[in-house]
Amino acid sequence: MVSVPPGVDIRLERAGFDGVIISILAYGALLMLYIQLLRVLLTRPKRGKVFWAISAYSALLFTFGSIAAGGKIKIAEYVYVSSRFTEGFNSTNIDTWVPSHVYQESVRSSMNVMSRVCTTLTPWIGDAFMIYRLMVIWSYQWWLLLLPVPLYISHVGMAIPLLITETRPGDIFWEEKSRLYGIIFHTLCVSLNLLISLLITAKLLTMRKKLEIALGKLGASFYTSWFTILVESGGFATLWGIIYLATLAQNHWSQNDFLQPYYYVIALTRMIIVLRMAQNQAWCRDTVSAANMGVMDWEVSSAHTMPVDVPPSDIGKDGMKQLKSPVSSGTSMHTLGQ
């Protein structure tokens, strides 16, 4: 039978531990994606501006995630292991040992502050990247930024007082506002992600049929499947944030199950999109133009689709079946609806 100190909710303590485990698992997935991305980048023959932009962004995202995960592991080690054997612990206070209380005493440590700063910076660069993707998919219609940009600036601004409250637990002035700042910050963050996800999803659905005509169903399936739409819109991170926000608003004990991994889920969903960009499988300006204008250049089409075997045509004089090459048609353009 587990002995629980008075006033302690063991479900909240378990949720805090589960949150650490899920966070590290998410970081492991991020690590595997980054390794795969490096393999793709190293074998990429053409290294222009896009190559260096992808390299810089992915390295920055992975660095923030690594520092945040490293700090979380060290803090978890102290909270769940080292704190029980520190000098001065006796049998009496071991019986009243509570992980969340130990964590509150260690939030001012340099390791925790560094980890918290990196986890806060992750949504900054992650959401900025999604705004860029929104512009690409919507063909740089700048009026779309009227809502996302103010939301982005607001949630970046709210991150500063939130960090102060989280690293000053003993300060009464900041401690009273900690919960309020947390709700405002995550509400702005989730609202921005929800708006971007809805706009990207709506645009991809409207271009679905035209792109199938431009590339064929097989070629377009890499861009129009429901999984692709979920990835391109960052829908998984948005859904995760909505669930966390619901638990936070209700002050539910399970909120730590969703809070701690939330930043890693954001990094993970962005890294998947970056990997698809490096593999030439993500939506790009040429693909969007093909769906909007009904024209797809053959060179662009072949660069962004998987090779497909051309069915055999007429039998030649030597009795062997000849294959028709797309180039032999004498045209380099594919048109829609003509």
Side-chain angles (χ1 to χ4, degrees):
M1 186 68 179
V2 179
S3 177
V4 181
V8 176
D9 189 347
I10 192 172
R11 298 174 301 175
L12 186 63
E13 304 300 326
R14 286 173 176 167
F17 178 77
D18 293 341
V20 174
I21 299 299
I22 299 173
S23 298
I24 301 307
L25 290 175
Y27 173 74
L30 180 68
L31 174 61
M32 290 188 291
L33 281 175
Y34 187 62
I35 293 174
Q36 187 176 356
L37 175 63
L38 288 179
R39 291 182 58 188
V40 173
L41 292 176
L42 290 175
T43 57
R44 192 183 181 100
K46 187 177 180 180
R47 300 187 177 185
K49 293 181 179 179
V50 175
F51 171 85
W52 295 113
I54 290 176
S55 301
Y57 180 82
S58 60
L60 187 63
L61 188 64
F62 180 72
T63 300
F64 285 156
S66 298
I67 296 175
K72 184 174 289 293
I73 291 173
K74 291 298 295 182
I75 292 297
E77 177 187 336
Y78 172 76
V79 170
Y80 294 102
V81 180
S82 302
S83 64
R84 295 180 63 90
F85 301 98
T86 53
E87 185 177 355
F89 254 89
N90 52 47
S91 59
T92 303
N93 54 26
I94 283 181
D95 293 336
T96 59
W97 173 81
V98 180
S100 60
H101 295 173
V102 177
Y103 173 76
Q104 289 298 322
E105 295 172 359
S106 62
V107 292
R108 293 194 180 190
S109 65
S110 58
M111 184 66 67
N112 182 69
V113 172
M114 182 174 59
S115 177
R116 289 299 306 154
V117 169
C118 288
T119 54
T120 303
L121 290 176
T122 299
W124 288 11
I125 63 174
D127 293 344
F129 175 73
M130 290 306 297
I131 292 177
Y132 159 73
R133 293 296 298 167
L134 176 67
M135 288 291 95
V136 171
I137 292 174
W138 276 85
S139 301
Y140 293 91
Q141 298 185 31
W142 298 103
W143 61 268
L144 283 171
L145 298 180
L146 290 176
L147 278 179
V149 169
L151 282 174
Y152 177 77
I153 295 174
S154 299
H155 102 74
V156 167
M158 277 303 304
I160 299 174
L162 179 64
L163 277 175
I164 296 176
T165 60
E166 290 181 342
T167 55
R168 294 177 178 270
D171 194 318
I172 298 178
F173 175 79
W174 291 107
E175 191 172 4
E176 292 177 350
K177 298 177 174 59
S178 177
R179 175 175 165 78
L180 176 62
Y181 288 165
I183 293 178
I184 295 175
F185 172 79
H186 290 100
T187 299
L188 291 170
C189 187
V190 173
S191 299
L192 174 62
N193 281 271
L194 179 61
L195 177 62
I196 293 176
S197 295
L198 290 176
L199 289 173
I200 291 178
T201 300
K203 185 64 174 177
L204 295 184
L205 289 176
T206 57
M207 296 189 296
R208 199 173 190 178
K209 291 297 182 183
K210 287 186 176 181
L211 192 65
E212 287 180 356
I213 300 175
L215 298 179
K217 284 193 174 182
L218 180 59
S221 64
F222 296 101
Y223 302 94
T224 59
S225 66
W226 284 107
F227 175 77
T228 300
I229 294 176
L230 180 67
V231 169
E232 289 282 354
S233 64
F236 184 71
T238 301
L239 180 61
W240 191 284
I242 291 174
I243 296 174
Y244 164 65
L245 197 61
T247 60
L248 177 64
Q250 296 295 323
N251 201 22
H252 196 265
W253 60 266
S254 64
Q255 59 184 272
N256 267 329
D257 285 330
F258 299 96
L259 169 61
Q260 296 190 60
Y262 178 52
Y263 308 97
Y264 300 92
V265 171
I266 290 178
L268 191 61
T269 53
R270 278 42 169 180
M271 190 68 79
I272 294 175
I273 299 176
V274 173
L275 177 60
R276 287 175 58 86
M277 291 174 62
Q279 294 173 332
N280 286 331
Q281 293 181 357
W283 280 81
C284 63
R285 185 178 300 183
D286 297 318
T287 314
V288 174
S289 298
N292 286 334
M293 298 186 298
V295 177
M296 187 65 173
D297 183 56
W298 174 257
E299 182 180 354
V300 174
S301 175
S302 60
H304 291 274
T305 56
M306 298 296 290
V308 181
D309 292 334
V310 182
S313 60
D314 300 333
I315 299 178
K317 294 180 179 179
D318 55 355
M320 299 296 292
K321 290 184 177 180
Q322 305 295 323
L323 297 180
K324 284 187 178 180
S325 171
V327 181
S328 64
S329 61
T331 179
S332 62
M333 305 293 288
H334 297 279
T335 58
L336 301 178
Q338 295 182 1

